[in-house]
Each structure stands twice: as C-alpha cells, then as structure tokens.
Amino acid sequence: MRSRVVLFEQIRRDSRIEGLSVRALAKRHHVHRRTVRQALASATPPPPARRVWKRTKITPFAAAIDDMLRADLTAPRKQRHTVVRILDRLVDEHGATDLTYGTVRAYVAQRRPEINAEAGRPVAEVFIAQTHQPGAEAEVDFAELWVDLPAGRTKCYLFTLRLCFSGRAVHRVFATQSQEAFLEGHIDAFTELGGIPVKHIKYDNLKSAVTTVLFGNNRRRTENDRWVLFRSHYQFDSFYCMPGVDGAHEKGGVEGEGGRFRRNHLVPVPKVASLAELNVRLAKADRADDHRRISGQVRTVGDMFAIEQQMLHPLPVEVFEPGLTMNPRVDRHARIMVRNVQYSVPARFINRRVRVILRSNEVIVFDGRTQLVRHERSSRKGSQVLVLDHYLEVLRFKPGALPGATALVPARANGSFTTVHEAFWAAARKAHGDAAGTRELIEVLLLHRHMTHADVVAGLQAALTVGASNADVVAVEARKHQTAAGGAGQRHHPVDQNAGVEQRVVSLTERRLADPAAVIAGLPTDSRPLPSVAEYDELLIRRRITPTETTTTIDVAAQKGNVS
C-alpha cells in the first residue's frame, strides 16, 4: 500500500510530464479529485482529519460518560472507571443496550485526556535526564526470582545494588526480604565494590529500613534502629523515593537492572544445590558484565567502574554483624524456636538458653563463644530442621526410638544416612538383637564426629564384606581407610609396607556364632570345645587334703628319695 507522500509525488510528476487533467489523474491513481487538488497544491500531505463524533448511537450518552470521567479526577487511583464499568452503568442507568464495547472504548480514549487537560492535569508525565558524579550515588532494590533447589522450585529474592555513574551492579539471592538479607546484601556489595558511595543510596520504603512513612512530607521517614546503626557504621546516607509508582522513576537504573540481569543470567530457571552455590555463579556473572556497554556510553562498565572505584569511601576496619541475635530456650525435644521454625541442638543443652545469630540463609547457635551448630535457614513456617547427631547420646539409652525418629527422615534424604548404614543396621540387629544391634549402629554414627563421612562409609563396607557387625570393626577399618595411601574403598590395608604383609579384620565373636548364616564366609565352623581351667587346680598350694591322702603322698615321695 502506497504512502500518501509517494502518491502525491506520482500525481505531481504525471501532471508535470504528461499534463493530465485533474479528472485523468484521479482516474489513473484511483483517488478522489479532492486528493489530486491537494497533491497539486502542496507536496506535503495534509494531516488526517480529526475524528468528529456525529449524531451516532453514543451521542445521547456522551454527557453521562463525561460526568463519570470527571468524577474519576478526585477518586482513588484503584477505584476509577474502566470501560467495562462505564458500559455497565450506561446499560443499567440509561438503558444503552445498543452500545458496544469498542464504541465506548474509542470515545473514552479520546475524551479522558481532554478532561484531564481541562482540569489542569498533565496529559503525559515528563522525565528529566540526570547526570551522576563518580562514586556519589547508588540504588538498591529487590526483585522476585524462582530457583530449583533440592526441595523443589522455590521463590527467592534478587538483591541488587547498582552504582549510578558506571552502572556496575552486585547481585545476590536470598530466601527472604528480611532485614538480615537486606544488610547482608549491602555488606557483600560494599566488599565486592571495594568502597561505599559518598553521597547517598536510593531506596524504596522497605520494611527492613523504614518503620513509618510520615504524612505531610513524602521524604520523611521513621527508620529502624538497627538500620540506623548499620548506616552509621558504614557512614553513608539514605534517600527514600516517593511512595508507590510515583517514585519508581527516581531509581529507574536499578528497576531495569534487576530485570536485565534476570533475563540474561537466570534463564532458564537455575538448578542448584544451595543458594550459596548460586551466589558464587552470580558473582562471576557480575564480573563478566564488566565488558558490556550501556546504551549511550562510549566506555564499558568495567572502564567506567575503574574511574568510579577511586572515588568511593573506604570500608571500615570492623565488619558489621548482619545477623539478628536471639536467646531462645532449648525445649525437651532438644529444639529451639526461631521465626516459627524449630532447629535442633545437642541434647545436653535441654532446658538451657543458647545464643542464636539469625542470618539471611543460615542459623548459627552458640553456647557462650562456642559454636554448637550451623543450620541452613528454612523459609517454611512451622517446619523442623533436625540433625540426627544431636540425639545420639539419648538414643544410646533409648535405642527403640531410632526407627521412628523424626531426625532420621532428613538424614536419609540428604544422604548422611546411606544404604550402607541401613545394611549394617540390619546385620547388627540380626546378629545381636534389636536393642544391641541399634546401639552398635549408634556407635558407628558417633564416628562421624571425628572422621569424614567417606572414611566411615568405607569402614562400614569393609566390615560388611567380612561379615562383621561390630562398631569396633568399623572403627578399625575406617581408620585404616583414613591412613591408607591407596585411596578410598579398599578391602585390604597394608600393615607393614616393607614386608608387604596385608591383613583383614576378623571378628572372633562372630566366628563363634552358632548360626551358620552369620559365620564369616570362607572360614570353617570352629567346633573345638571351650577351654577349661580344671587342670590348673593342681597348682593350687593351699588345698585342704584328707589324712589318708597325706600318707599316700609321703610314701610316694619317700620312694623317689625326696624325703630323708
């Protein structure tokens, strides 16, 4: 389809070269004679005529629609008329059953800007381009993100701190938007950038920093005390944008940065074992983005950041602790309650208070200055994070509680309680009974406290290979695996490397078992009688003897010449 500029040019050319009349030109180009006269008068086509609403079906209802649009000038933003609502009111209140949605939509699209202009409101919002000084300003925001963790697809949050001058940004993923994550994201960003903006950092009205937005002045805030302490420690100021969508443009750089980074580095949905692993990947992606060039900039982000980094305020010597400190009491199930989630601690601390540092992705428990345990933080309210090792001392006395222990479920799920443990447990219960066999397993589990998981599993495999179901055998085999020079999973271990002698652990107790199925493979059944000490009774010197026995003994001795 020809544009009007091309059409006018062809009409003017045919008139100039061939001298055709207006009628002939209109017939050749299939247009109205009015169009031909316009083309001959000027090479520039006239603007399209503005649509004028004539006497149509909507004309009787135009005043009612205008009244609704004028009422929207003082109505709340989320309670203004939509086209659908206007049409419904026209049908209900004015009987406009012949009107269509398209007709009403076209009229509203034309009249709403006109009514806004009549009321003195700007038809379109105007934005002013800004120039930022090096090292002066930064912007912070959170963006939603989905991550495939071992527990399934989980909703997380992408923390972004972006320098305004260079566009250099630091991204970190957290399970929540809590204050711990907010502060920890700042610390990671300051450390990565090597400094702090000297003027201010721009924020939304996040609950992590702002307690109350004061009315009457959209820039005044009541700030959280811990946030004020953090700002004082790192010596920077905060700038809060206007509430709602009205202030989104005031930190437009970070608003677009979160989406850009997510599209370029987090698609498809990342699949990782933990958020710590994902944050390592994000740090590499941040450094890779130093080679990109922002629209309108001659230099790359990395080149601009090299200039800006020298202008940043230096970091303080001491690192701020971003975690929240608590002092919960350990209940009788050896658990503490932290943010509606229960975490286990060693059972010996029952009914005692411990010190907890709650961070964005972990929970650290202390007894005084001694660290007891470090849990991965759970974001599911009402959940339990239990460690089987914390209950082993109790299970020694209550072995029957182990099969149904709740702590055994996550141990099996995370792989710390393997199929090898299950096989040893079954063999031990068969050989020693349920209670004694379970105690043998508990002794094996206690080995994990001072030996690596691989060494203990290798010891279990070696013990099962020789048919042993004693914890002592597992300990010896695990120690040999730990000190062996040949690697993991060896059945034979060198005793004397110079002599080239190899030895295999053999359980003498199981070798004497009466059950043929429990006898070690490859060894014959020991049918010898048990040893007796009856003959050693002859060596006792203080025996009570009868007179007849005494006379007989003396006569025998006299015959041998032993008595004078």
Side-chain angles (χ1 to χ4, degrees):
M1 183 177 182
R2 293 178 299 176
S3 67
R4 289 178 62 83
V5 174
V6 175
L7 175 64
F8 275 37
E9 189 271 339
Q10 293 175 350
I11 293 174
R12 292 170 66 87
R13 183 187 60 188
D14 293 345
S15 175
R16 182 180 70 252
I17 296 175
E18 301 182 21
L20 298 177
S21 64
V22 174
R23 182 184 296 273
L25 290 172
K27 185 176 181 179
R28 170 177 290 187
H29 294 283
H30 305 285
V31 295
H32 198 276
R33 283 172 291 178
R34 180 177 58 253
T35 304
V36 174
R37 293 188 182 95
Q38 291 175 348
L40 296 176
S42 174
T44 302
R50 181 172 175 269
R51 183 176 182 180
V52 179
W53 292 94
K54 299 180 180 179
R55 296 294 299 179
T56 62
K57 294 182 180 180
I58 202 171
T59 302
F61 310 103
I65 297 176
D66 292 348
D67 292 340
M68 297 180 195
L69 296 179
R70 290 189 179 93
D72 285 345
L73 295 174
T74 57
R77 183 176 61 87
K78 294 185 178 182
Q79 291 180 257
R80 296 172 186 171
H81 285 85
T82 63
V83 176
V84 174
R85 181 55 184 156
I86 291 176
L87 181 59
D88 290 342
R89 289 190 60 185
L90 291 176
V91 173
D92 296 339
E93 300 175 10
H94 301 278
T97 56
D98 294 337
L99 289 180
T100 62
Y101 174 82
T103 303
V104 177
R105 180 182 61 184
Y107 182 81
V108 171
Q110 176 183 329
R111 286 294 294 155
R112 194 189 293 273
E114 295 175 350
I115 292 176
N116 288 337
E118 293 173 1
R121 293 190 176 185
V123 178
E125 189 173 4
V126 180
F127 299 96
I128 308 300
Q130 299 289 303
T131 299
H132 304 280
Q133 297 300 317
E137 301 176 70
E139 300 169 347
V140 168
D141 196 17
F142 274 107
E144 294 183 357
L145 174 70
W146 290 91
V147 180
D148 285 338
L149 295 172
R153 182 157 294 184
T154 306
K155 183 179 181 180
C156 300
Y157 300 91
L158 179 66
F159 173 91
T160 303
L161 187 146
R162 180 183 182 274
L163 295 175
C164 295
F165 174 76
S166 64
R168 180 66 158 86
V170 178
H171 305 84
R172 293 293 184 269
V173 175
F174 299 101
T176 65
Q177 296 186 80
S178 62
Q179 187 183 66
E180 302 84 54
F182 186 61
L183 300 184
E184 198 168 325
H186 278 80
I187 295 174
D188 290 348
F190 293 158
T191 304
E192 179 73 17
L193 299 174
I196 306 166
V198 296
K199 185 179 179 181
H200 59 231
I201 301 178
K202 296 181 179 180
Y203 301 95
D204 282 333
N205 300 281
L206 299 171
K207 292 183 179 179
S208 303
V210 176
T211 303
T212 307
V213 178
L214 300 180
F215 292 98
N217 189 335
N218 289 328
R219 299 295 182 189
R220 293 179 59 198
R221 306 289 187 274
T222 300
E223 295 179 303
N224 186 287
D225 289 342
R226 186 165 178 78
W227 168 240
V228 174
L229 179 63
F230 180 82
R231 287 196 297 105
S232 176
H233 181 84
Y234 283 97
Q235 300 183 21
F236 69 92
D237 293 328
S238 56
F239 177 88
Y240 297 106
C241 300
M242 298 286 287
V245 296
D246 295 336
H249 67 279
E250 295 182 342
K251 57 179 184 63
V254 74
E255 293 283 352
E257 172 62 24
R260 181 205 68 82
F261 188 85
R262 184 171 48 199
R263 289 188 297 270
N264 287 274
H265 298 288
L266 297 170
V267 175
V269 176
K271 186 175 182 180
V272 292
S274 64
L275 293 182
E277 177 185 338
L278 180 57
N279 282 327
V280 173
R281 289 171 49 180
L282 298 190
K284 295 179 180 179
D286 288 336
R287 289 186 286 271
D289 279 345
D290 287 345
H291 301 290
R292 71 185 183 93
R293 185 176 284 104
I294 298 177
S295 177
Q297 296 289 343
V298 177
R299 299 178 179 178
T300 64
V301 171
D303 295 337
M304 299 287 285
F305 176 65
I307 300 173
E308 186 171 27
Q309 190 175 28
Q310 303 175 5
M311 308 296 181
L312 297 175
H313 191 279
L315 295 172
V317 177
E318 296 182 359
V319 179
F320 189 87
E321 173 54 59
L324 182 64
T325 303
M326 304 177 179
N327 295 99
R329 183 181 294 277
V330 183
D331 64 13
R332 61 179 182 176
H333 298 284
R335 301 172 306 190
I336 56 175
M337 180 70 76
V338 179
R339 292 283 176 87
N340 294 324
V341 178
Q342 293 177 323
Y343 300 90
S344 67
V345 298
R348 65 181 182 275
F349 292 96
I350 290 177
N351 292 329
R352 291 175 54 181
R353 287 194 177 275
V354 293
R355 181 168 61 93
V356 174
I357 295 181
L358 177 64
R359 292 183 178 172
S360 59
N361 294 328
E362 61 182 359
V363 177
I364 310 174
V365 185
F366 292 89
D367 177 35
R369 296 185 178 181
T370 304
Q371 179 177 315
L372 301 180
V373 62
R374 185 186 294 261
H375 288 288
E376 183 177 352
R377 181 173 177 175
S378 174
S379 58
R380 294 188 301 109
K381 292 185 178 181
S383 61
Q384 297 185 84
V385 180
L386 306 180
V387 178
L388 181 61
D389 181 77
H390 295 163
Y391 300 94
L392 295 182
E393 286 83 1
V394 179
L395 291 173
R396 274 178 170 175
F397 300 98
K398 297 181 177 181
L402 180 59
T406 305
L408 188 59
V409 177
R412 284 171 170 154
N414 60 33
S416 59
F417 195 87
T418 64
T419 56
V420 181
H421 290 83
E422 299 278 7
F424 179 84
W425 191 11
R429 285 189 292 181
K430 184 176 182 180
H432 308 290
D434 289 342
T438 302
R439 288 192 177 95
E440 293 292 337
L441 173 67
I442 293 172
E443 295 297 331
V444 171
L445 295 175
L446 288 169
L447 295 176
H448 287 280
R449 294 184 177 180
H450 53 84
M451 302 181 73
T452 64
H453 184 266
D455 291 335
V456 177
V457 171
L460 284 169
Q461 291 174 337
L464 289 173
T465 302
V466 299
S469 58
N470 295 94
D472 294 338
V473 176
V474 176
V476 173
E477 285 291 323
R479 180 63 64 183
K480 287 184 177 181
H481 181 273
Q482 187 180 42
T483 58
Q490 294 184 352
R491 177 181 174 186
H492 300 276
H493 305 279
V495 177
D496 185 357
Q497 295 182 358
N498 295 329
V501 180
E502 290 187 343
Q503 181 180 356
R504 186 176 64 175
V505 172
V506 177
S507 173
L508 296 179
T509 302
E510 297 202 14
R511 191 173 184 273
R512 288 190 169 276
L513 290 176
D515 186 1
V519 178
I520 300 174
L523 294 178
T525 305
D526 189 358
S527 59
R528 295 175 298 176
L530 294 174
S532 174
V533 297
E535 296 184 3
Y536 288 91
D537 292 341
E538 300 295 336
L539 301 178
L540 298 177
I541 60 175
R542 293 185 179 182
R543 293 180 59 204
R544 181 176 298 176
I545 57 177
T546 61
T548 305
E549 184 179 4
T550 303
T551 304
T552 304
T553 303
I554 294 175
D555 292 342
V556 173
Q559 292 176 2
K560 294 182 179 180
N562 294 329
V563 180
S564 57

